Amino acid sequence: MSLDQPSLRALERQLQPAPEDRLAALERVWRRFADAEALLKRGGRVIEVTPTHYKVHGLSGFARLGDIVEQRGDAGARRGEIVKIGRDEAVVAPFERSADSGIGDAVFRRGPLVVAPHASWRGRTIDALTRTIDGGPPLARGDDTSRGAQTITRFAHALREVATGTGEPPVARGYPASVFTELPKLLERAGPGGEGKGSITAIISVLVDGDDHNDPVADSVRGILDGHVVLDRTIAEQGRYPPVNPLSSISRLAGKAWSVEQRALVTRLKSMISRFEDTRDIRLLGAYQGGADAELDIAVRQVPLIYEALTQAPKDRPSTDPFSDLARHLKSKLNADAGD
């Protein structure tokens, strides 16, 4: 059977779906795949691997600095952070070993890292990405928590390694400038969050290189935090624990908690301790003669008693009123000496 042209066009119109049918079909397809993870991912491929970083082609057009990416290869899924973006490639610092990356591995952008503490964090062991590593259930979000860091110095060393790998020049004892911009971002996360988002209490330690308290990391941290407690190796060698240096330790908020009398007492005690330590070498050489300096005489008598009061053993209960405890200790010792 043959059809003329008008009849053929009429048949084609009958076979073609109406516009509303095409829209309905498109909507069904969209609803079917709208939540499919594969259609939402945008990524690239590893083109170069170094001991500390790897480069990815295909991410530069939509990635942002600090974005978390997931690299998939023979070693499984590995996460990392974008630390540099060029015209044609992005540099990623992996959270695991860079040696696990291979040329051609797929890398997908996961967006910025979002952390929101929750009560379920209590007693749990997690990594820096809030993934559980104790075999327990996943974490929930949105409550108060405390944060302990082994040492902020190692964090600074890691930042230095990342920055050096991206070609950033050093500015202070080998540390690039980006280290000192990232430190406040980390430290100032501590504190109250928004309503319903909990708060973070941080206990940060700083390991100074070569016992140099003017180390760039220590100096920067002192300028960010509201106070610091200095542990002194020399005091530990004298057998006084905890080896807290009362002259170097500072709290910017203590003045708001102390009374006028307590503030005056602390100032007086620090002055005596300073005189005592400044003349230590003179006294060891036997050049000190009592009676020549009344203030020094008082310091020589009382500072050892203050040090004794500040010494604690692990089994000792914490003091709820340190000023009164110190006063009682000094009074009892001075009275005992007077009785002798």
Side-chain angles (χ1 to χ4, degrees), residues 66-255:
D67 277 353
I68 303 300
V69 298
E70 184 175 270
Q71 170 247 332
R72 297 182 179 179
D74 295 339
R78 297 287 188 271
R79 290 189 182 184
E81 179 182 352
I82 296 178
V83 295
K84 184 178 181 180
I85 300 177
R87 181 183 297 274
D88 299 317
E89 60 191 28
V91 179
V92 176
F95 296 133
E96 285 86 10
R97 297 190 313 157
S98 182
D100 292 334
S101 304
I103 301 297
D105 286 353
V107 180
F108 297 101
R109 174 178 177 263
R110 298 183 65 92
L113 178 64
V114 178
V115 177
H118 188 267
S120 64
W121 291 35
R122 296 189 180 103
R124 301 296 304 278
T125 305
I126 60 176
D127 64 10
L129 300 177
T130 70
R131 297 176 299 192
T132 58
I133 55 177
D134 55 5
L139 299 175
R141 301 290 186 266
D143 207 340
D144 299 339
T145 188
S146 61
R147 178 184 183 278
Q150 185 179 24
T151 171
I152 200 69
T153 307
R154 290 189 174 89
F155 174 73
H157 288 174
L159 290 176
R160 179 173 61 184
E161 181 178 310
V162 170
T164 303
T166 61
E168 186 178 350
V171 295
R173 298 193 189 181
Y175 290 100
S178 61
V179 172
F180 304 105
T181 60
E182 290 297 325
L183 285 176
K185 293 180 182 179
L186 172 68
L187 298 175
E188 291 175 1
R189 290 179 185 176
E195 184 177 355
K197 295 185 178 180
S199 63
I200 298 177
T201 300
I203 302 174
I204 303 296
S205 65
V206 182
L207 180 64
V208 295
D209 292 336
D211 288 344
D212 181 8
H213 290 272
N214 292 321
D215 173 81
V217 174
D219 199 40
S220 177
V221 171
R222 279 199 301 267
I224 298 170
L225 300 179
D226 289 327
H228 53 270
V229 177
V230 176
L231 303 181
D232 196 317
R233 187 191 303 271
T234 302
I235 295 176
E237 291 171 350
Q238 295 172 3
R240 288 162 37 207
Y241 292 95
V244 175
N245 188 325
L247 299 178
S248 301
S249 302
I250 295 175
S251 172
R252 295 191 181 98
L253 302 178

Side-chain angles (χ1 to χ4, degrees), residues 23-40:
L23 290 175
L26 180 61
E27 182 179 4
R28 287 195 299 271
V29 173
W30 179 83
R31 290 184 180 279
R32 180 179 178 184
F33 293 103
D35 296 328
E37 185 180 11
L39 294 182
L40 298 178

